[in-house]
Amino acid sequence: MASTGTDPARKQRADSLRNQTALLEAAAAAFIASGVNAPVRDIAARAGVGVGTIYRHFPTRADLIVAVYRHQVEACAEAGPVLLAQSATPHAALASWIHLFVDFLVTKHGLAEAMRSDDAAFQTLHAYFLDRLVPVCADLLAAASAAGEIVPDMNPLVLMQGIGNLCIGADNPAYDARLMVDVVIAGLRVH
Amino acid sequence: MASTGTDPARKQRADSLRNQTALLEAAAAAFIASGVNAPVRDIAARAGVGVGTIYRHFPTRADLIVAVYRHQVEACAEAGPVLLAQSATPHAALASWIHLFVDFLVTKHGLAEAMRSDDAAFQTLHAYFLDRLVPVCADLLAAASAAGEIVPDMNPLVLMQGIGNLCIGADNPAYDARLMVDVVIAGLRVH
DNA sequence: AAACATACGGAACGAGGTTCCGTTTTCCCC
DNA sequence: GGGGAAAACGGAACCTCGTTCCGTATGTTT
């Protein structure tokens, strides 16, 4: 992520590593306080570095967001097969997994919006989330489909993006992302 | 909308009305060309006016968007009762009406995103759309619910917002808003 | 300790939204 | 028709925010 060195023998400088860590912590805090679109200058100030340092470590905002949430995305991805093995039915596993994903998204102010953005800077973000999660979703869909529980032709990519969309604005009390997601899950069933 | 006059006897000035019309046309063109977030300066240039004139007529971007799309929103609202009377079943009417709404949204680049924005400037937009369309949706839901075709507890406001969300990013070829909307419509059915 | 690569900071630039006020246009009244 | 007040105009100026750039500082290696 931050290995800019041309010579692979030379290790990353200590101050560089320190700043990178500080930036990750600052960004996480700023994202909680102001959403994932927190001003670059704010994040830099929180980390006690100049704005140039942010761009050196994380060329686009997406890189920073991915770095901050990587653990959680990985955990979500790994939960897929586990749920499939533990649940009573594939459809139940799919439902549980989608709820896991939704829980992750709705607690990250602005993340769902950002994933949707057509801004080139968010391309990385979009790609990372989808690359990591769509295959997991595809497996769950395939299992539920094979069991005859859901319609056979659901596209996992479309489903993930749709679920993501439904989570936008989840902090608005007049909206209820989880309810809409449940309607979608019900709609996947054979009928 | 543009009656700023303090004295109600005094009518709107001719140049003001001319500019207002020019702005509406320019905005409509700019929205088609660049989406509803087209730069203010661009819209002003298209209309051949200064930026100050935009703000005088339409204090927020939402006011301009509402003015541009008012006819279409009205048409959509009025179609609700008509569809209910003409369709074979209330659920069919609901489905048709939702498709009408979706067709409107997906052809307006950025509109669905804007409706979701928590920016105070879009409050008016959000309010207008929901005030006008939620009651129509509520009637359709009530009819379908009374006919025993759908689950009885769907909140029309949540449904409208959810449908709106699903339409975000509909111009991305890897996504399919209509498919997701169909899943939602299916999910509303009693099962 | 010297020399060199690496990384840093923050000024500077550009894009976009918004405000403000001197000037122009229109309208009303005589 | 002409004069003056009210209304509206235009666009410069300002603010915020993302992004770039380069002179300077800090590690690292020999």
Side-chain angles (χ1 to χ4, degrees):
Chain A
M1 167 98 9
S3 58
T4 322
T6 46
D7 177 2
R10 207 179 192 91
K11 63 185 179 188
Q12 183 181 27
R13 266 171 52 168
D15 56 344
S16 170
L17 191 67
R18 212 182 316 131
N19 280 332
Q20 188 169 316
T21 308
L23 274 171
L24 278 175
E25 285 173 12
F31 289 173
I32 288 170
S34 327
V36 298
N37 290 309
V40 178
R41 274 174 253 256
D42 284 4
I43 300 173
R46 275 179 192 264
V49 305
V51 286
T53 302
I54 287 198
Y55 284 96
R56 199 164 311 103
H57 286 288
F58 306 100
T60 70
R61 181 177 296 271
D63 296 319
L64 187 53
I65 297 174
V66 168
V68 168
Y69 295 127
R70 176 156 259 144
H71 304 88
Q72 294 184 59
V73 174
E74 291 301 316
C76 187
E78 285 162 13
V82 175
L83 284 170
L84 192 53
Q86 291 179 347
S87 300
T89 69
H91 182 271
L94 177 63
S96 298
W97 185 75
I98 290 177
H99 286 142
L100 219 54
F101 179 54
V102 170
D103 285 344
F104 166 65
L105 271 189
V106 301
T107 55
K108 310 295 176 295
H109 191 112
L111 219 205
E113 286 93 327
M115 275 222 303
R116 221 332 133 215
S117 168
D118 50 359
D119 186 335
F122 287 100
Q123 189 54 40
T124 312
L125 179 66
H126 200 240
Y128 171 67
F129 268 75
L130 295 184
D131 285 0
R132 197 69 190 82
L133 299 178
V134 165
V136 177
C137 181
D139 286 349
L140 287 161
L141 279 175
S145 183
E149 294 178 321
I150 66 165
V151 296
D153 55 346
M154 190 66 213
N155 178 332
L157 175 55
V158 171
L159 179 60
M160 291 299 296
Q161 295 193 114
I163 298 287
N165 273 10
L166 286 178
C167 292
I168 294 176
D171 46 345
N172 172 182
Y175 180 55
D176 186 343
R178 289 174 225 265
L179 174 54
M180 286 303 299
V181 170
D182 285 343
V183 171
V184 167
I185 292 173
L188 289 175
R189 279 216 133 95
V190 287
H191 34 261
Chain B
M1 166 106 0
S3 59
T4 322
T6 46
D7 177 1
R10 208 179 190 90
K11 64 183 180 188
Q12 183 182 25
R13 267 171 54 167
D15 56 344
S16 169
L17 191 67
R18 212 181 317 129
N19 281 332
Q20 188 169 315
T21 307
L23 274 171
L24 279 175
E25 284 173 12
F31 289 172
I32 289 170
S34 327
V36 298
N37 290 308
V40 178
R41 276 175 253 254
D42 284 5
I43 300 173
R46 275 178 193 265
V49 305
V51 285
T53 302
I54 287 198
Y55 284 96
R56 199 165 311 104
H57 285 288
F58 307 99
T60 71
R61 182 177 293 272
D63 295 318
L64 187 52
I65 296 174
V66 168
V68 168
Y69 294 128
R70 175 156 261 144
H71 303 87
Q72 293 183 62
V73 174
E74 292 301 316
C76 187
E78 285 162 14
V82 175
L83 284 170
L84 192 53
Q86 291 179 348
S87 300
T89 69
H91 182 271
L94 176 63
S96 298
W97 186 75
I98 290 177
H99 286 142
L100 218 55
F101 179 55
V102 170
D103 285 343
F104 166 65
L105 272 189
V106 300
T107 54
K108 311 297 176 292
H109 192 111
L111 219 205
E113 286 92 328
M115 275 219 305
R116 226 324 136 223
S117 167
D118 49 0
D119 187 334
F122 287 99
Q123 189 53 40
T124 311
L125 179 66
H126 201 240
Y128 170 68
F129 268 75
L130 294 184
D131 285 359
R132 196 69 189 84
L133 298 179
V134 165
V136 177
C137 182
D139 286 350
L140 287 162
L141 279 175
S145 184
E149 295 178 320
I150 65 165
V151 296
D153 55 347
M154 190 65 214
N155 179 331
L157 175 55
V158 171
L159 179 61
M160 292 299 296
Q161 296 193 111
I163 298 288
N165 274 9
L166 286 178
C167 292
I168 295 176
D171 46 346
N172 173 183
Y175 180 56
D176 186 342
R178 288 174 224 265
L179 174 54
M180 285 303 298
V181 169
D182 285 342
V183 171
V184 167
I185 291 173
L188 289 174
R189 278 217 132 95
V190 287
H191 33 261

